[in-house]
Amino acid sequence: MSPPDAARLSLNTATVSAQWSLAQAIEGCARHGIRGIAPWRDKLAEMGVRQAASAIKANGLAVTGLCRGGFFTAKDWKDDNRRAIEEAHALGARCLVLVVGGLEEGSKDLAAARRRVAEGIAAILPEARKAGVPLAIEPLHPMQAADRACINTLEQALDLCDALGEGVGVAVDVYHVWWDPKLEQQIRRAGKERILAYHICDWLVPTRDLLNDRGMMGEGVIDLPQIRGWLEAAGYDGCHEVEIFSAANWWRRDADEVLRVVRDRHRRSS
Amino acid sequence: MSPPDAARLSLNTATVSAQWSLAQAIEGCARHGIRGIAPWRDKLAEMGVRQAASAIKANGLAVTGLCRGGFFTAKDWKDDNRRAIEEAHALGARCLVLVVGGLEEGSKDLAAARRRVAEGIAAILPEARKAGVPLAIEPLHPMQAADRACINTLEQALDLCDALGEGVGVAVDVYHVWWDPKLEQQIRRAGKERILAYHICDWLVPTRDLLNDRGMMGEGVIDLPQIRGWLEAAGYDGCHEVEIFSAANWWRRDADEVLRVVRDRHRRSS
């Protein structure tokens, strides 16, 4: 694999969420020559959608995704997802990433949770289509099935896309899917049309926390160039969005240093 | 679901490995009316295979599995697996459980690791057949793909069984497979012939450690009666082997108390 095009690098703001506001992250991207950004909605709310949209535009950044909609088992899921669609539209986001939610409180019924997710996406889909905001179902790692997302493989996400029709695709995050023996096959199945986002980081050995112990590209065991190759073979020509939750390491460092390392590792290890 | 037959309860000795030797675990099973046991090989070596076999026989226990063979990426894998087959034969174990191993040291090539596992099992299979010891491939949770086992779904394990032929089946451990959207389908596919062991425990929310934070049946979110129902529908009539790695809780308790709780939760929550 030849190194990836630096112009495809995007920063998911979770990577520096402990250090920076969204305004700072936008300026940071501009300063470090990073051309894409994917904000989280808590930081977006702090900054204000209009101001964020204008700062992003002023700096010429692409919005590779808005994180996140979903959590269809939460009480106000419908209103919250409507707002998320509006915000994604206002930012001109490439997609709204859906972290679909896990089991309902007190329930062990995984099949019911999965039905509820399918119904929830179907319910918001007409508004998403009208707004021109593609919905990106993100399969999450099976270790997060109970509490964060009961969609856990790319195959399962694509089956859901098949059932839902136009306007829905997937976000492929290597952290969640790298282990899957059917990954290459299912990336091919997804194709250019349905791969709405590509998130990168690395899997550390050992991993010390189920949520916030992700590694920087090259620190772990994921063969990132290989997975990128599969995506490119499927026709994906979008960005490579770096999303690193790292309570013990990267969240503790100076954010400008983090962005320098992100740029370097994107080129050398992705 | 009606409660499970108490006669099907088996103790995987990992559940009390911090407290008891194998000799103590054998006596403990007898004392608590538990009719099956599945020893780990480190404790078996401490006790001596002959002595263990005779104590198990004297107490009338069924050996529902020997843990473990596998780790086909380790240096002495062939000799070690040969010894494991001999030990399983000496104990009259229902199967030798294979934890197949993860990536080779320094490698990111998951496909190569998986090929090596297939070759490794194929290499030891003739001896296992000769010894009358079925090999049980245990798919491990995807969070353990890098360092413990690169076989991570029941579907993948059964594909491997298909390729290898007679003498190989699977160990279904709820902890590793409960999240899988294809679980019911793949249990049906496996059928009575190929389900060589059934391991139970529970998935805690939150889970604080990727290896040693399993819950007692009923403490977590796994719908154990449902999964047992799928196994019974597939014709499985073997034991329910309780395997709980729990550094923060069950390993710290009095082992007789643990066994009392195991018996109770087997009846009430499995």
Side-chain angles (χ1 to χ4, degrees):
Chain A
M1 293 290 301
S2 51
D5 183 353
R8 298 214 180 287
L9 178 58
S10 173
L11 179 73
N12 184 300
T13 62
T15 308
V16 289
S17 62
Q19 300 99 319
W20 277 351
S21 68
L22 179 53
Q24 289 173 302
I26 293 166
E27 288 157 20
C29 283
R31 196 159 61 244
H32 290 270
I34 295 174
R35 312 301 310 134
I37 193 165
W40 278 70
R41 288 177 62 217
D42 53 343
K43 301 264 177 171
L44 181 63
E46 269 171 34
M47 185 174 185
V49 178
R50 224 177 275 187
Q51 260 188 297
S54 114
I56 287 167
K57 197 175 169 188
N59 284 286
L61 304 181
V63 178
T64 55
L66 176 64
C67 293
R68 57 175 175 61
F71 274 87
F72 296 101
T73 43
K75 265 193 190 141
D76 69 332
W77 66 270
K78 204 156 187 178
D79 284 342
D80 189 60
N81 277 285
R82 274 181 186 147
R83 284 192 297 272
I85 290 167
E86 284 166 19
E87 291 164 19
H89 175 77
L91 296 179
R94 170 87 177 91
C95 62
L96 173 64
V97 174
L98 301 182
V99 174
V100 300
L103 292 165
E104 280 182 76
E105 188 68 34
S107 166
K108 300 185 182 189
D109 193 339
L110 204 47
R114 286 164 173 167
R115 282 193 299 274
R116 185 157 172 168
V117 166
E119 290 161 10
I121 301 177
I124 63 168
L125 188 50
E127 288 173 64
R129 285 178 184 145
K130 210 183 300 171
V133 173
L135 301 177
I137 302 171
E138 182 170 5
L140 254 55
H141 197 284
M143 70 186 174
Q144 297 174 7
D147 44 356
R148 295 186 54 78
C150 58
I151 305 292
N152 306 102
T153 64
L154 194 50
E155 182 175 34
Q156 187 191 8
L158 290 168
D159 287 349
L160 196 47
C161 291
D162 284 348
L164 289 163
E166 287 292 297
V168 189
V170 293
V172 176
D173 183 321
V174 294
Y175 195 74
H176 297 301
V177 301
W178 73 277
W179 58 271
D180 187 348
K182 300 176 92 169
L183 183 57
E184 181 181 9
Q185 177 205 105
Q186 294 297 318
I187 286 173
R188 201 182 310 124
R189 172 188 170 194
K192 180 185 166 81
E193 294 274 301
R194 293 198 286 192
I195 303 171
L196 300 175
Y198 176 48
H199 298 182
I200 58 175
C201 66
D202 215 332
W203 178 276
L204 298 177
V205 178
T207 291
R208 296 172 195 282
D209 183 89
L210 276 75
L211 271 183
N212 296 324
D213 194 24
R214 299 190 183 195
M216 180 65 67
M217 297 80 76
E219 279 189 317
V221 296
I222 303 180
D223 189 339
L224 288 159
Q226 181 178 61
I227 297 177
R228 176 167 61 87
W230 294 340
L231 282 153
E232 290 174 1
Y236 181 74
D237 57 5
C239 282
H240 313 146
E241 186 182 313
V242 176
E243 184 179 37
I244 302 172
F245 299 81
S246 170
N249 186 357
W250 298 100
W251 284 349
R252 296 187 182 191
R253 301 202 191 192
D254 174 78
D256 278 297
E257 182 205 338
V258 175
L259 261 54
R260 277 190 296 273
V261 178
V262 160
R263 275 195 64 102
D264 179 58
R265 296 297 183 83
H266 175 246
R267 186 173 50 79
R268 291 200 294 121
S269 310
S270 308
Chain B
M1 292 291 298
S2 51
D5 183 353
R8 298 214 180 287
L9 178 59
S10 172
L11 178 74
N12 184 299
T13 62
T15 307
V16 289
S17 62
Q19 300 98 319
W20 277 351
S21 68
L22 180 52
Q24 289 173 302
I26 293 167
E27 288 158 20
C29 284
R31 196 161 58 244
H32 290 271
I34 295 174
R35 312 304 308 138
I37 194 164
W40 279 69
R41 288 177 62 216
D42 52 344
K43 301 265 176 170
L44 181 63
E46 269 172 32
M47 184 173 185
V49 178
R50 226 177 275 185
Q51 260 189 294
S54 113
I56 287 167
K57 199 176 166 186
N59 285 286
L61 303 180
V63 178
T64 55
L66 177 63
C67 293
R68 59 176 175 58
F71 275 88
F72 296 101
T73 42
K75 263 190 190 143
D76 68 333
W77 65 271
K78 206 158 186 177
D79 284 342
D80 189 60
N81 277 285
R82 276 181 186 146
R83 282 191 299 271
I85 290 167
E86 284 165 19
E87 291 165 17
H89 175 75
L91 295 180
R94 171 86 178 94
C95 62
L96 174 64
V97 175
L98 301 182
V99 173
V100 299
L103 292 165
E104 280 183 76
E105 187 67 35
S107 166
K108 300 185 183 191
D109 193 339
L110 205 47
R114 286 165 172 165
R115 281 193 300 273
R116 186 157 173 167
V117 166
E119 291 162 8
I121 300 177
I124 62 167
L125 188 51
E127 287 173 66
R129 285 181 184 143
K130 211 182 299 171
V133 173
L135 301 177
I137 302 170
E138 182 170 5
L140 254 55
H141 197 285
M143 69 185 174
Q144 296 173 5
D147 44 358
R148 295 187 53 77
C150 58
I151 305 293
N152 305 103
T153 64
L154 194 50
E155 182 174 34
Q156 188 191 8
L158 289 168
D159 287 350
L160 196 46
C161 290
D162 284 348
L164 289 163
E166 287 293 299
V168 191
V170 294
V172 176
D173 183 322
V174 294
Y175 195 74
H176 297 301
V177 301
W178 73 277
W179 60 269
D180 186 347
K182 300 176 94 171
L183 182 57
E184 181 182 8
Q185 176 203 109
Q186 295 297 317
I187 285 173
R188 201 181 311 124
R189 171 188 170 195
K192 180 185 166 78
E193 295 273 303
R194 293 197 289 192
I195 304 172
L196 300 175
Y198 176 48
H199 297 181
I200 59 175
C201 66
D202 214 334
W203 179 275
L204 298 176
V205 178
T207 290
R208 296 173 194 282
D209 183 89
L210 276 74
L211 271 182
N212 297 322
D213 194 24
R214 299 190 183 194
M216 180 65 65
M217 297 79 77
E219 280 190 317
V221 297
I222 303 179
D223 189 338
L224 288 159
Q226 181 177 62
I227 297 177
R228 175 167 62 87
W230 293 341
L231 282 152
E232 289 174 1
Y236 181 73
D237 58 4
C239 282
H240 313 147
E241 184 181 315
V242 176
E243 185 179 36
I244 303 171
F245 299 81
S246 170
N249 186 359
W250 299 100
W251 284 348
R252 296 188 180 191
R253 301 203 191 192
D254 174 76
D256 279 296
E257 182 204 337
V258 175
L259 261 53
R260 277 191 295 274
V261 178
V262 160
R263 274 195 64 103
D264 179 59
R265 296 299 184 80
H266 175 246
R267 186 172 50 79
R268 290 200 297 123
S269 310
S270 306

PDB file of all heavy atoms in Angstrom, chain A residues 11 32 35 41 55 59 67-68 92 100-101 109 125 143 151 160 168 183 186 191 195-196 209 218 225:
ATOM      1  N   LEU A  11     -10.219  14.923  11.605  1.00  0.00           N
ATOM      2  CA  LEU A  11     -10.118  14.794  13.057  1.00  0.00           C
ATOM      3  C   LEU A  11     -11.490  14.628  13.674  1.00  0.00           C
ATOM      4  O   LEU A  11     -12.326  15.533  13.599  1.00  0.00           O
ATOM      5  CB  LEU A  11      -9.459  16.045  13.661  1.00  0.00           C
ATOM      6  CG  LEU A  11      -9.333  16.010  15.197  1.00  0.00           C
ATOM      7  CD1 LEU A  11      -8.248  15.035  15.642  1.00  0.00           C
ATOM      8  CD2 LEU A  11      -9.089  17.406  15.765  1.00  0.00           C
ATOM      9  N   HIS A  32      -2.884  22.789  11.680  1.00  0.00           N
ATOM     10  CA  HIS A  32      -2.091  21.592  11.366  1.00  0.00           C
ATOM     11  C   HIS A  32      -2.361  21.052   9.964  1.00  0.00           C
ATOM     12  O   HIS A  32      -1.896  19.964   9.620  1.00  0.00           O
ATOM     13  CB  HIS A  32      -2.349  20.499  12.404  1.00  0.00           C
ATOM     14  CG  HIS A  32      -1.782  20.825  13.756  1.00  0.00           C
ATOM     15  ND1 HIS A  32      -0.503  20.471  14.131  1.00  0.00           N
ATOM     16  CD2 HIS A  32      -2.304  21.507  14.806  1.00  0.00           C
ATOM     17  CE1 HIS A  32      -0.262  20.898  15.363  1.00  0.00           C
ATOM     18  NE2 HIS A  32      -1.339  21.531  15.803  1.00  0.00           N
ATOM     19  N   ARG A  35      -7.823  18.666   6.928  1.00  0.00           N
ATOM     20  CA  ARG A  35      -8.879  19.239   6.076  1.00  0.00           C
ATOM     21  C   ARG A  35     -10.287  18.802   6.452  1.00  0.00           C
ATOM     22  O   ARG A  35     -11.259  19.276   5.880  1.00  0.00           O
ATOM     23  CB  ARG A  35      -8.629  18.888   4.599  1.00  0.00           C
ATOM     24  CG  ARG A  35      -7.218  19.128   4.087  1.00  0.00           C
ATOM     25  CD  ARG A  35      -6.740  20.578   4.220  1.00  0.00           C
ATOM     26  NE  ARG A  35      -7.701  21.525   3.693  1.00  0.00           N
ATOM     27  CZ  ARG A  35      -8.066  22.647   4.325  1.00  0.00           C
ATOM     28  NH1 ARG A  35      -7.589  22.953   5.529  1.00  0.00           N
ATOM     29  NH2 ARG A  35      -8.921  23.467   3.773  1.00  0.00           N
ATOM     30  N   ARG A  41     -21.699  16.285  19.538  1.00  0.00           N
ATOM     31  CA  ARG A  41     -22.791  17.231  19.724  1.00  0.00           C
ATOM     32  C   ARG A  41     -22.743  17.983  21.052  1.00  0.00           C
ATOM     33  O   ARG A  41     -23.297  19.084  21.147  1.00  0.00           O
ATOM     34  CB  ARG A  41     -24.142  16.530  19.562  1.00  0.00           C
ATOM     35  CG  ARG A  41     -24.385  16.190  18.090  1.00  0.00           C
ATOM     36  CD  ARG A  41     -25.664  15.430  17.897  1.00  0.00           C
ATOM     37  NE  ARG A  41     -26.804  16.222  18.329  1.00  0.00           N
ATOM     38  CZ  ARG A  41     -27.882  15.716  18.936  1.00  0.00           C
ATOM     39  NH1 ARG A  41     -27.943  14.418  19.199  1.00  0.00           N
ATOM     40  NH2 ARG A  41     -28.869  16.499  19.285  1.00  0.00           N
ATOM     41  N   ALA A  55     -17.505  28.930  11.507  1.00  0.00           N
ATOM     42  CA  ALA A  55     -16.056  28.755  11.713  1.00  0.00           C
ATOM     43  C   ALA A  55     -15.505  27.622  10.852  1.00  0.00           C
ATOM     44  O   ALA A  55     -14.404  27.716  10.295  1.00  0.00           O
ATOM     45  CB  ALA A  55     -15.768  28.474  13.191  1.00  0.00           C
ATOM     46  N   ASN A  59     -12.813  28.127   7.721  1.00  0.00           N
ATOM     47  CA  ASN A  59     -11.531  27.420   7.659  1.00  0.00           C
ATOM     48  C   ASN A  59     -11.491  26.361   6.555  1.00  0.00           C
ATOM     49  O   ASN A  59     -10.506  25.630   6.441  1.00  0.00           O
ATOM     50  CB  ASN A  59     -11.236  26.784   9.018  1.00  0.00           C
ATOM     51  CG  ASN A  59     -10.776  27.825  10.039  1.00  0.00           C
ATOM     52  OD1 ASN A  59      -9.653  28.302   9.969  1.00  0.00           O
ATOM     53  ND2 ASN A  59     -11.669  28.218  10.935  1.00  0.00           N
ATOM     54  N   CYS A  67     -21.241  13.337  15.318  1.00  0.00           N
ATOM     55  CA  CYS A  67     -21.409  12.309  16.341  1.00  0.00           C
ATOM     56  C   CYS A  67     -22.240  12.885  17.474  1.00  0.00           C
ATOM     57  O   CYS A  67     -21.858  13.902  18.030  1.00  0.00           O
ATOM     58  CB  CYS A  67     -20.063  11.871  16.906  1.00  0.00           C
ATOM     59  SG  CYS A  67     -19.046  11.000  15.695  1.00  0.00           S
ATOM     60  N   ARG A  68     -23.304  12.339  17.822  1.00  0.00           N
ATOM     61  CA  ARG A  68     -23.932  11.217  17.222  1.00  0.00           C
ATOM     62  C   ARG A  68     -25.434  11.274  17.429  1.00  0.00           C
ATOM     63  O   ARG A  68     -25.930  11.911  18.352  1.00  0.00           O
ATOM     64  CB  ARG A  68     -23.382   9.944  17.870  1.00  0.00           C
ATOM     65  CG  ARG A  68     -23.621  10.001  19.390  1.00  0.00           C
ATOM     66  CD  ARG A  68     -23.236   8.777  20.097  1.00  0.00           C
ATOM     67  NE  ARG A  68     -23.392   8.994  21.532  1.00  0.00           N
ATOM     68  CZ  ARG A  68     -24.529   9.283  22.166  1.00  0.00           C
ATOM     69  NH1 ARG A  68     -25.667   9.429  21.496  1.00  0.00           N
ATOM     70  NH2 ARG A  68     -24.581   9.471  23.457  1.00  0.00           N
ATOM     71  N   GLY A  92     -23.661  20.774   7.138  1.00  0.00           N
ATOM     72  CA  GLY A  92     -23.312  20.134   5.869  1.00  0.00           C
ATOM     73  C   GLY A  92     -22.521  18.859   6.077  1.00  0.00           C
ATOM     74  O   GLY A  92     -21.627  18.521   5.297  1.00  0.00           O
ATOM     75  N   VAL A 100     -26.337   3.140  18.234  1.00  0.00           N
ATOM     76  CA  VAL A 100     -27.762   2.819  18.290  1.00  0.00           C
ATOM     77  C   VAL A 100     -28.330   2.550  19.678  1.00  0.00           C
ATOM     78  O   VAL A 100     -29.542   2.515  19.858  1.00  0.00           O
ATOM     79  CB  VAL A 100     -28.098   1.628  17.357  1.00  0.00           C
ATOM     80  CG1 VAL A 100     -27.748   1.971  15.922  1.00  0.00           C
ATOM     81  CG2 VAL A 100     -27.394   0.348  17.821  1.00  0.00           C
ATOM     82  N   GLY A 101     -27.449   2.343  20.657  1.00  0.00           N
ATOM     83  CA  GLY A 101     -27.946   2.025  21.999  1.00  0.00           C
ATOM     84  C   GLY A 101     -27.958   0.529  22.246  1.00  0.00           C
ATOM     85  O   GLY A 101     -27.960  -0.271  21.306  1.00  0.00           O
ATOM     86  N   ASP A 109     -33.280  -8.613  26.852  1.00  0.00           N
ATOM     87  CA  ASP A 109     -33.825  -9.024  25.563  1.00  0.00           C
ATOM     88  C   ASP A 109     -33.125  -8.297  24.410  1.00  0.00           C
ATOM     89  O   ASP A 109     -33.546  -7.232  23.956  1.00  0.00           O
ATOM     90  CB  ASP A 109     -35.331  -8.759  25.537  1.00  0.00           C
ATOM     91  CG  ASP A 109     -36.008  -9.455  24.370  1.00  0.00           C
ATOM     92  OD1 ASP A 109     -35.320  -9.791  23.387  1.00  0.00           O
ATOM     93  OD2 ASP A 109     -37.236  -9.650  24.444  1.00  0.00           O
ATOM     94  N   LEU A 125     -35.912   8.156   9.492  1.00  0.00           N
ATOM     95  CA  LEU A 125     -35.345   8.150   8.150  1.00  0.00           C
ATOM     96  C   LEU A 125     -36.017   9.144   7.188  1.00  0.00           C
ATOM     97  O   LEU A 125     -35.305   9.832   6.429  1.00  0.00           O
ATOM     98  CB  LEU A 125     -35.379   6.717   7.599  1.00  0.00           C
ATOM     99  CG  LEU A 125     -34.674   6.431   6.286  1.00  0.00           C
ATOM    100  CD1 LEU A 125     -33.251   6.958   6.277  1.00  0.00           C
ATOM    101  CD2 LEU A 125     -34.684   4.930   5.991  1.00  0.00           C
ATOM    102  N   MET A 143     -18.072  -6.011  22.776  1.00  0.00           N
ATOM    103  CA  MET A 143     -17.911  -5.746  24.212  1.00  0.00           C
ATOM    104  C   MET A 143     -18.761  -4.556  24.652  1.00  0.00           C
ATOM    105  O   MET A 143     -18.910  -4.300  25.844  1.00  0.00           O
ATOM    106  CB  MET A 143     -16.437  -5.539  24.581  1.00  0.00           C
ATOM    107  CG  MET A 143     -15.812  -4.272  24.068  1.00  0.00           C
ATOM    108  SD  MET A 143     -14.008  -4.244  24.431  1.00  0.00           S
ATOM    109  CE  MET A 143     -13.539  -2.728  23.562  1.00  0.00           C
ATOM    110  N   ILE A 151     -25.935  -3.252  17.689  1.00  0.00           N
ATOM    111  CA  ILE A 151     -25.516  -3.607  16.326  1.00  0.00           C
ATOM    112  C   ILE A 151     -24.011  -3.795  16.395  1.00  0.00           C
ATOM    113  O   ILE A 151     -23.277  -2.842  16.680  1.00  0.00           O
ATOM    114  CB  ILE A 151     -25.877  -2.499  15.312  1.00  0.00           C
ATOM    115  CG1 ILE A 151     -27.366  -2.156  15.373  1.00  0.00           C
ATOM    116  CG2 ILE A 151     -25.453  -2.904  13.892  1.00  0.00           C
ATOM    117  CD1 ILE A 151     -28.301  -3.224  14.903  1.00  0.00           C
ATOM    118  N   LEU A 160     -29.466  -4.529   8.078  1.00  0.00           N
ATOM    119  CA  LEU A 160     -30.403  -3.478   8.473  1.00  0.00           C
ATOM    120  C   LEU A 160     -30.539  -2.428   7.358  1.00  0.00           C
ATOM    121  O   LEU A 160     -31.645  -1.982   7.034  1.00  0.00           O
ATOM    122  CB  LEU A 160     -29.897  -2.854   9.771  1.00  0.00           C
ATOM    123  CG  LEU A 160     -30.822  -1.995  10.608  1.00  0.00           C
ATOM    124  CD1 LEU A 160     -32.179  -2.641  10.801  1.00  0.00           C
ATOM    125  CD2 LEU A 160     -30.176  -1.714  11.974  1.00  0.00           C
ATOM    126  N   VAL A 168     -29.508   5.280   4.187  1.00  0.00           N
ATOM    127  CA  VAL A 168     -28.816   4.678   5.334  1.00  0.00           C
ATOM    128  C   VAL A 168     -27.581   3.942   4.843  1.00  0.00           C
ATOM    129  O   VAL A 168     -27.623   3.263   3.815  1.00  0.00           O
ATOM    130  CB  VAL A 168     -29.709   3.652   6.067  1.00  0.00           C
ATOM    131  CG1 VAL A 168     -29.066   3.217   7.368  1.00  0.00           C
ATOM    132  CG2 VAL A 168     -31.078   4.225   6.324  1.00  0.00           C
ATOM    133  N   LEU A 183     -14.846  -9.333   7.635  1.00  0.00           N
ATOM    134  CA  LEU A 183     -14.709  -7.902   7.389  1.00  0.00           C
ATOM    135  C   LEU A 183     -14.498  -7.569   5.915  1.00  0.00           C
ATOM    136  O   LEU A 183     -15.198  -6.719   5.352  1.00  0.00           O
ATOM    137  CB  LEU A 183     -13.573  -7.320   8.246  1.00  0.00           C
ATOM    138  CG  LEU A 183     -13.384  -5.815   8.115  1.00  0.00           C
ATOM    139  CD1 LEU A 183     -14.653  -5.058   8.463  1.00  0.00           C
ATOM    140  CD2 LEU A 183     -12.221  -5.341   8.989  1.00  0.00           C
ATOM    141  N   GLN A 186     -17.632  -8.157   3.886  1.00  0.00           N
ATOM    142  CA  GLN A 186     -18.732  -7.243   4.154  1.00  0.00           C
ATOM    143  C   GLN A 186     -18.417  -5.807   3.701  1.00  0.00           C
ATOM    144  O   GLN A 186     -19.322  -5.050   3.367  1.00  0.00           O
ATOM    145  CB  GLN A 186     -19.120  -7.283   5.635  1.00  0.00           C
ATOM    146  CG  GLN A 186     -19.703  -8.629   6.074  1.00  0.00           C
ATOM    147  CD  GLN A 186     -21.010  -8.972   5.364  1.00  0.00           C
ATOM    148  OE1 GLN A 186     -21.881  -8.118   5.188  1.00  0.00           O
ATOM    149  NE2 GLN A 186     -21.136 -10.221   4.941  1.00  0.00           N
ATOM    150  N   GLY A 191     -19.886  -1.586  -0.323  1.00  0.00           N
ATOM    151  CA  GLY A 191     -19.633  -0.797  -1.534  1.00  0.00           C
ATOM    152  C   GLY A 191     -19.543   0.689  -1.237  1.00  0.00           C
ATOM    153  O   GLY A 191     -19.849   1.159  -0.136  1.00  0.00           O
ATOM    154  N   ILE A 195     -20.674   3.036   2.368  1.00  0.00           N
ATOM    155  CA  ILE A 195     -19.637   3.352   3.360  1.00  0.00           C
ATOM    156  C   ILE A 195     -19.590   4.872   3.503  1.00  0.00           C
ATOM    157  O   ILE A 195     -19.047   5.579   2.665  1.00  0.00           O
ATOM    158  CB  ILE A 195     -18.262   2.788   2.963  1.00  0.00           C
ATOM    159  CG1 ILE A 195     -18.366   1.270   2.766  1.00  0.00           C
ATOM    160  CG2 ILE A 195     -17.225   3.115   4.047  1.00  0.00           C
ATOM    161  CD1 ILE A 195     -17.115   0.640   2.169  1.00  0.00           C
ATOM    162  N   LEU A 196     -20.181   5.353   4.565  1.00  0.00           N
ATOM    163  CA  LEU A 196     -20.348   6.798   4.732  1.00  0.00           C
ATOM    164  C   LEU A 196     -19.218   7.416   5.547  1.00  0.00           C
ATOM    165  O   LEU A 196     -19.009   8.628   5.493  1.00  0.00           O
ATOM    166  CB  LEU A 196     -21.693   7.088   5.409  1.00  0.00           C
ATOM    167  CG  LEU A 196     -22.929   6.585   4.631  1.00  0.00           C
ATOM    168  CD1 LEU A 196     -24.189   6.818   5.459  1.00  0.00           C
ATOM    169  CD2 LEU A 196     -23.042   7.270   3.272  1.00  0.00           C
ATOM    170  N   ASP A 209      -9.230  -0.860  29.369  1.00  0.00           N
ATOM    171  CA  ASP A 209     -10.560  -0.319  29.635  1.00  0.00           C
ATOM    172  C   ASP A 209     -11.421  -0.560  28.402  1.00  0.00           C
ATOM    173  O   ASP A 209     -10.923  -0.438  27.271  1.00  0.00           O
ATOM    174  CB  ASP A 209     -10.450   1.186  29.920  1.00  0.00           C
ATOM    175  CG  ASP A 209     -11.787   1.804  30.271  1.00  0.00           C
ATOM    176  OD1 ASP A 209     -12.141   1.822  31.471  1.00  0.00           O
ATOM    177  OD2 ASP A 209     -12.492   2.272  29.355  1.00  0.00           O
ATOM    178  N   GLY A 218      -0.683   2.666  14.646  1.00  0.00           N
ATOM    179  CA  GLY A 218       0.679   2.157  14.720  1.00  0.00           C
ATOM    180  C   GLY A 218       1.074   1.660  16.097  1.00  0.00           C
ATOM    181  O   GLY A 218       2.065   0.951  16.238  1.00  0.00           O
ATOM    182  N   PRO A 225      -3.278  -0.409   6.921  1.00  0.00           N
ATOM    183  CA  PRO A 225      -3.176  -0.328   5.455  1.00  0.00           C
ATOM    184  C   PRO A 225      -4.017  -1.412   4.765  1.00  0.00           C
ATOM    185  O   PRO A 225      -4.620  -1.161   3.723  1.00  0.00           O
ATOM    186  CB  PRO A 225      -1.679  -0.527   5.200  1.00  0.00           C
ATOM    187  CG  PRO A 225      -1.018  -0.032   6.454  1.00  0.00           C
ATOM    188  CD  PRO A 225      -1.945  -0.442   7.565  1.00  0.00           C
TER     189      PRO A 225
END
